Amino acid sequence: MSTVCASCLNILVFLTLQQRDPMLKRDGFEDILEERRNSSDLKYALRCYAPVLYKGVTPCKANMLKNIVLQSDQLHYVVNQVSQESGEAPDIIQEEASVILEEMAHRLQISTVRFFAFALTKAFKTLFQHVCVNEEGIQRLQQAIQEHPVVLLPSHRSYMDFLLMSYILYTYDLALPVIAAGMDFMGMKFVGEMLRMSGAFFIRRSFGGDKLYWAVFSEYVKTMLRNGFAPIEFFLEGTRSRTCKSLTPKLGLLNIVIEPFFKGEVFDVNLVPVSISYERILEESLYARELLGVPKPKESTSGLLKARRILSEDYGSIHVYFGQPVSVRSLAQGKVNRSKYNLFPRHIPRKPMEETQSFVNDTAYRIVRLQEDNMVLKPWVLMASLLLQNLEGLELSVLTEQTLWLRGLALSYAAFLDWPDHAPTAKVVSSSLALHRGLACVSGGRVSLVVGEPLGPVTPEEALFNRAVSVLSCASYRNQVLHVFLRPAMLAVAMHTTASSKKNEVYNCFSFLWNMFSNDFILCPGDTVQDFEEACYLLVKTGAVQMPQQDIEMTDRAVLWTLEFPKVVNKFYSGKLSCRRILSEI
Amino acid sequence: SLATPFSPNAHLWQEIMKWNGWGYSDSKFLFNKKGQAEFTGKRYRLSGMTLPSLQDWFENTFGASVKHKSPPVLNASAVPPPRLNEAFVEDLKATGIPFSNEAEDRVFRAHGHCLHEIFALREGKKFERVPDMVVWPNCHNDVVKIVELACKHNVCLIPYGGGTSVTSALECPPEETRCIVSLDTSQMNRILWIDEKNLVAHVEAGIIGQDLERLLNESGYCTGHEPDSMEFSSLGGWVATRASGMKKNVYGNIEDLVIHIKAVTPRGVMEKSCQGPRMSTGPDIHHFILGSEGTLGVVTEVTMKIRPIPEYLKYGSVVFPNFEAGVACLREVAKQRCAPASIRLMDNKQFHFGHALKPQVSSIFTNFVEGLKTFYITKLKGFDPHQLVVATLLFEGDRERVLQHEKQVYDIAATFGGLAAGEDNGQRGYILTFVIAYLRDLGMDYYVVAESFETSVPWDRVLDLCQNVKERIIRECRERGVQFQPLTSCRVTQTYDSGACIYFYFAFNYRGLADPVHTYEQVEHAAREEILANGGSLSHHHGVGKLRKAWMKDSISNVGVGMLKSIKEYVDPKNIFGNQNLL
């Protein structure tokens, strides 16, 4: 445990906060739908689109790209290797590779993009009030695209995410990304191909031992990256988070896009975290049902058509925040010795070295944290948290008061709150309730969760199920704010549990919690001490805790807060404990 | 193409050489009153000519102006008084070997040609430590005596050949408290015998490259060893740094050329007992001396391969649409093992630089022809003038074979989109090599600092390395507050079966910088890091000196360093050869 004094510690933590987001002050937003509402959609879809590419390269036709991949040394090597192992002729294996690539590759076509630009504009205008984008982030991205190969790493909460990303880049005349998508979409007749023509490339969900598949896939991605033909886009979380909690990152693709830097094939790679926050998620109740065991509806075109009823609802606004591009070169400085790659031919695939693996893992966590940091939170998120602490419902006035209090606290913990300017809190609360009337309702001055829509008599099981859907939907909103309170909350729990003011005892307990939750929340590997210090800093800053010398004590003011916090974490804690109990009984 | 021959004598040499810049005092670039660049003197083909495009190129490339001068400070810097070892001086006097402790002689041998060294001389900065005296042995036996006396009196010896080091190898370690004696080999400059039956010559190691070639030429022979510094560098220096010559494709590098080395160490004289062309007698002891950079002893005599002067010599050049195509062509030439005596590929920046150095042409006709050539390449063949690169070639041998060889190389070039671009362009490329070092002095007169560095790298990494190193330099300059875009340029100067040697030029306008040399050094350090991270070597032929010592462990492993250390410990336990290079 470090023994830095409290004030040094504050500075230290402040610096690390700054490191995560150099500005700490976030950019403002611009509503891109506003212009769409005032001008012709058709003109917009047909406008001149001429983005600048990396170092001014000319865009590469999809077929040419395939040829480069199929003729690469990397692929030839693996083709020969597989041929030797299987006894098949290299030609046949090469043909297999070609088929894999055909199945995988995107066929980006500007006409399809224009179609989507048109159709999505129509859809967005009905579905959403605003689609807000930080334009400074766009400018940074534009700069980055010209200087280095760029990898876009958006958070993943909805099917909308990737269409939305391409839509925004098209709007700002930026190079359209190629997007790694799951094979599931391919099952959708027509739509799958449309997505392909708007830049999606499809990868199988699992291909663990298939060397050839891996070689085609990684070479395809690397070729696009090395030449800077287009920004690569994929979801670090691997899949849509059904709970709105960030998922622990998957490393496969990140490894692929970082490797060209280690091998000196590119000067740098820029990773751009993108945080997409939905005021109301399209898949809201679908997710809750999925979590309760109702199987995920298979991606199908007819399903999509059926889903068009959602077009009649109001989904509030979307905020898309393009974070500061993260230079892999700067991150790797002093952590990875690139010259270790000198002694092995670059075209022969190798398992990443331990040093690299831990670097990539670390980077992935940092990016997801950056995504979390720039996630815009709506007032409803705070209200959902409070409602979940009071499942039996609470007075509207109390909810309003507590929401205001929670807002203050969240702000002091650097939450990225989108709170309407100059609006009285009561108004903010009521309009949030109106938007989420499917989840909460006010009756007789009391706010409570809405439980299903009882059409006729329901069995007790159905009633329970419906209630669970509401609670889970609500929880998925609460989950959006967890990352703000997580660290101070763990500290508060640790202080309660240890009932000691000795800093190292509290830290030991904190560290225990930290390890236990390391798969539930985004806790960067090896950051235990830093997270502890950050938690201390935040609690001291808000006056909840004092830290004289080696001690750590709660102040009188703190009692209320620190009692509230543990509730949040305790939910997960007791959840874990009961899971363990059930498992041990089995 | 070389300067007028001159046989150096200890003091005369010093008098005709610049004390604070490169090469001969009478040869330098300057901007005349009309603002036109001129190369003075009579020694080179470019001497006495005006270069009408240089000023524009210079001002545009660096954002410099001929109005902003940064001339050298003229009064020589203060020199610390010599720390003489009286007993050593007494014994030395008894041998009759000439020596001096004049300030001028000592400062002249206190440095090589690193940017920081020349910059310090120009600014009149004081050297922390310079040799306390200079000795001029006349032969091997003199060296034996000097080394014996140095051991006896615990005096530090630093061998000095041509003084062209660019690795801080000649700098005196500031912490050295003993008397430092610069052992100047310049008087040991004779060819002792030529053996025509075995085609070898036995030569004293102090001989300067151009003298060696000239003297051998008189007998109809040459060594073919032509490093770019051959006008001033010495045979002993080549051995001590593992030098490489322009025509190594025909003649080999220095390690391929030496048959026998005689070296005087504190333990005694080291040499082999015969001149067999190859031996299996354990590790080759020559390789302890090759690249030892003056840390083990002094090379006094070398037996070297010689060849009859080639009957026919022909320059050539090929223009490629871009650097990638050029590298691919060189790689193919290496693969087919048909490289001419020299083949070099200049990048686009260097191509333009070469053009800026074209002398004024008097005839309208020449002008017209030049115009036609440009039209043909850029308009008819569609080469982008901001992308195209040029390879310069030098063929040697009997006429018929040269012509045959030439065709083979041009045919390969054609498959990579290369167009033959004439003998003149080729020849100019090679002349440039000898005058380019003078240009740094011109730059320094106008707030521009410049340096070159080299590496060797496997073929498949050549392009990425060039690209990344250039980008790193530009980025480091920006981050360190350099106000103007730096010039970064590279060329592939040697081809091997498995890789190539790459030479970088790097220069920037330092106006507005408080400590340009420090900034320069930081950028060069970063560039070297980048080279190593991209699979390049620490050095292809410049050596390590003190400049690149920090990377030795990473380069040759701890065990490797340990081996070298144990040799040093055995050969020179009292660290008489205490220049602190390499380890």
Side-chain angles (χ1 to χ4, degrees), chain B residues 351-366:
Chain B
F351 168 77
H352 285 288
F353 175 44
H355 267 251
L357 285 172
K358 271 193 178 170
Q360 192 149 34
V361 280
S362 37
S363 95
I364 301 171
F365 179 73
T366 332

Side-chain angles (χ1 to χ4, degrees), chain B residues 83 128-129 156 171-178 180 546 549 575 578-581 583:
Chain B
R83 307 177 196 186
E128 226 179 302
R129 191 79 172 86
C156 171
E171 263 174 31
C172 299
E175 67 280 1
E176 180 59 72
T177 51
R178 296 172 296 179
I180 300 179
K546 288 180 271 288
K549 264 166 82 164
N575 195 27
N579 60 15
Q580 303 283 13
N581 290 338
L583 295 173

Side-chain angles (χ1 to χ4, degrees), chain A residues 339-409:
Chain A
S339 61
K340 288 201 175 151
Y341 287 80
N342 290 347
L343 295 178
F344 214 80
R346 293 189 292 177
H347 66 278
I348 299 181
R350 278 180 96 195
K351 265 222 159 70
M353 289 174 279
E354 210 171 295
E355 195 179 64
T356 319
Q357 255 170 343
S358 81
F359 170 77
V360 171
N361 187 39
D362 200 56
T363 304
Y365 272 86
R366 276 176 213 285
I367 297 288
V368 177
R369 262 204 92 182
L370 286 169
Q371 287 175 355
E372 283 184 336
D373 279 348
N374 293 325
M375 235 10 146
V376 167
L377 304 175
K378 285 293 195 173
W380 169 250
V381 168
L382 302 180
M383 291 162 60
S385 314
L386 293 164
L387 276 171
L388 281 175
Q389 312 257 18
N390 304 277
L391 282 175
E392 65 295 341
L394 76 172
E395 295 290 324
L396 179 60
S397 58
V398 177
L399 177 66
T400 310
E401 185 193 318
Q402 290 201 4
T403 304
L404 191 64
W405 166 78
L406 197 54
R407 170 182 179 249
L409 193 62

Side-chain angles (χ1 to χ4, degrees), chain A residues 54-55 147-148 262-268 327 329-330 333 338-339 341-346, chain B residues 458 460-462 464-465 467-469 471-473 475 478 529-536 554:
Chain A
Y54 171 56
K55 291 187 171 159
E147 286 176 5
H148 302 292
F262 288 136
K263 288 187 170 173
E265 293 164 342
V266 293
F267 183 76
D268 197 356
S327 147
R329 174 175 275 267
S330 315
Q333 179 77 37
R338 282 185 289 154
S339 61
Y341 287 80
N342 290 347
L343 295 178
F344 214 80
R346 293 189 292 177
Chain B
D460 74 311
R461 286 176 172 268
V462 168
D464 290 331
L465 183 134
Q467 169 99 31
N468 289 340
V469 170
E471 193 151 349
R472 179 77 183 262
I473 290 175
R475 195 165 136 152
R478 196 168 51 208
E529 262 178 15
E530 195 61 34
I531 287 175
L532 298 175
N534 281 274
D554 288 342

Side-chain angles (χ1 to χ4, degrees), chain B residues 239 242 254-261 270-274 276-292 296 564 567:
Chain B
V239 171
R242 294 178 64 88
I254 192 70
E255 68 273 20
D256 311 309
L257 285 165
V258 294
I259 292 294
H260 186 266
I261 295 173
M270 189 204 87
E271 63 180 322
K272 294 184 187 174
S273 67
C274 71
R278 182 182 186 274
M279 305 177 198
S280 174
T281 47
D284 190 341
I285 54 164
H286 282 169
H287 284 277
F288 294 149
I289 300 298
L290 283 156
S292 61
L296 299 178
L564 297 186
I567 290 167

Side-chain angles (χ1 to χ4, degrees), chain A residues 294-343:
Chain A
V294 180
K296 174 178 104 167
K298 211 168 159 25
E299 286 81 355
S300 73
T301 307
S302 59
L304 182 77
L305 291 173
K306 274 180 214 145
R308 74 184 183 276
R309 72 174 173 83
I310 59 169
L311 281 174
S312 56
E313 289 196 41
D314 178 1
Y315 286 87
S317 356
I318 306 178
H319 283 83
V320 183
Y321 193 96
F322 288 84
Q324 196 84 29
V326 175
S327 147
V328 172
R329 174 175 275 267
S330 315
L331 277 188
Q333 179 77 37
K335 289 193 192 135
V336 179
N337 181 358
R338 282 185 289 154
S339 61
K340 288 201 175 151
Y341 287 80
N342 290 347
L343 295 178

Side-chain angles (χ1 to χ4, degrees), chain A residues 485-505:
Chain A
F485 295 116
L486 174 64
R487 289 160 187 80
M490 285 199 302
L491 178 58
V493 174
M495 289 173 72
H496 272 281
T497 316
T498 41
S500 154
S501 62
K502 287 270 172 299
K503 200 169 158 189
N504 28 359
E505 283 175 34

